[in-house]
Amino acid sequence: MSAIRLLVLGAVRQHGRAHGYQVRGDLEFWGAHEWSNAKPGSIYHALKQMAKQGLLQVHEVAPSTAGGPPRTEYELTAQGSDEYFRLLREALTAWDQKLDVLSAAVGFIVDLDRAEAVELLKERVRGMREWRSAVTSYYPPGQGPESLGHIGEIMNLWASSAEFGAEWTRGLIERIEAGAYVFAGEAGGNVPTTPQ
């Protein structure tokens, strides 16, 4: 999965209708251009591609005041909304996602209800535990990764990454269960996610 698809759909969804410059501004405000492939060219390309795929509806609005061509605004279609939530859920549960995809998903986690977010994250922890067990099953009985020479360092890296990922995820689950953040369907305000 590509982070750009989730990021762009999520940014458009937050606005209801948004033009490319707004989406780009949101993603830059979040720092996504630093930790993902959300560069200006990829954002505009993603908007156009997803419009062709029926995930976004295109609205031509009045020409810019500077005399340029009409500005194009995008809005999620029902299919686009379904795709957004599918990507979000997949990114939160898949233990093998790249860090940029997980980061995008955590950025939109509050679009789910609290109970679902917790259950998806618990599924992620289960997957990481199973993956770590699969990696460590290659160690000779009663021995650790050092018994496999320098290749054991690779396995140790994978096992350690899984341990850290599971630990971080359990911490997020605890914070959410303790009432952190405002999730879909709950009353209250959220931290601003768009430039003010």
Side-chain angles (χ1 to χ4, degrees):
M1 174 193 310
S2 164
I4 189 73
R5 194 170 176 91
L6 178 57
L7 286 166
V8 169
L9 287 172
V12 170
R13 183 179 181 278
Q14 286 188 341
H15 284 282
R17 270 173 69 161
H19 53 78
Y21 188 75
Q22 285 173 306
V23 172
R24 178 181 166 192
D26 289 356
L27 299 184
E28 287 177 357
F29 179 73
W30 304 338
H33 60 293
E34 298 291 338
W35 50 262
S36 76
N37 58 346
K39 308 295 185 243
S42 61
I43 293 167
Y44 291 106
H45 177 74
L47 287 165
K48 290 176 184 175
Q49 284 300 111
M50 287 189 282
K52 286 180 188 175
Q53 295 166 352
L55 303 177
L56 297 172
Q57 181 177 354
V58 176
H59 300 278
E60 296 292 335
V61 294
S64 74
T65 55
R71 179 166 275 173
T72 301
E73 289 186 339
Y74 299 90
E75 179 179 16
L76 256 67
T77 62
Q79 182 184 351
S81 183
D82 290 346
E83 176 70 356
Y84 167 72
F85 282 105
R86 185 191 70 75
L87 292 171
L88 178 57
R89 289 176 176 113
E90 179 184 325
L92 288 171
T93 57
W95 52 266
D96 60 346
Q97 288 293 2
K98 292 182 180 176
L99 195 53
D100 63 339
V101 175
L102 177 60
S103 298
V106 171
F108 293 119
I109 196 170
V110 295
D111 286 346
L112 301 168
D113 69 54
R114 186 177 299 273
E116 181 182 12
V118 166
E119 189 49 46
L120 292 170
L121 292 169
K122 286 180 178 179
E123 187 177 329
R124 175 181 176 72
V125 170
R126 286 188 294 272
M128 296 184 103
R129 193 175 343 154
E130 291 170 9
W131 180 56
R132 186 187 183 288
S133 293
V135 169
T136 58
S137 71
Y138 288 96
Y139 300 168
Q143 297 182 35
E146 62 281 347
S147 64
L148 299 171
H150 69 284
I151 299 303
E153 292 298 338
I154 297 169
M155 298 175 119
N156 191 29
L157 171 63
W158 294 342
S160 297
S161 295
E163 285 173 20
F164 173 78
E167 178 184 334
W168 176 85
T169 306
R170 282 190 296 271
L172 178 56
I173 291 168
E174 288 173 13
R175 290 186 293 282
I176 292 171
E177 288 180 328
Y181 319 116
V182 178
F183 284 79
E186 298 176 348
N190 271 323
V191 174
T193 57
T194 57
Q196 302 299 313

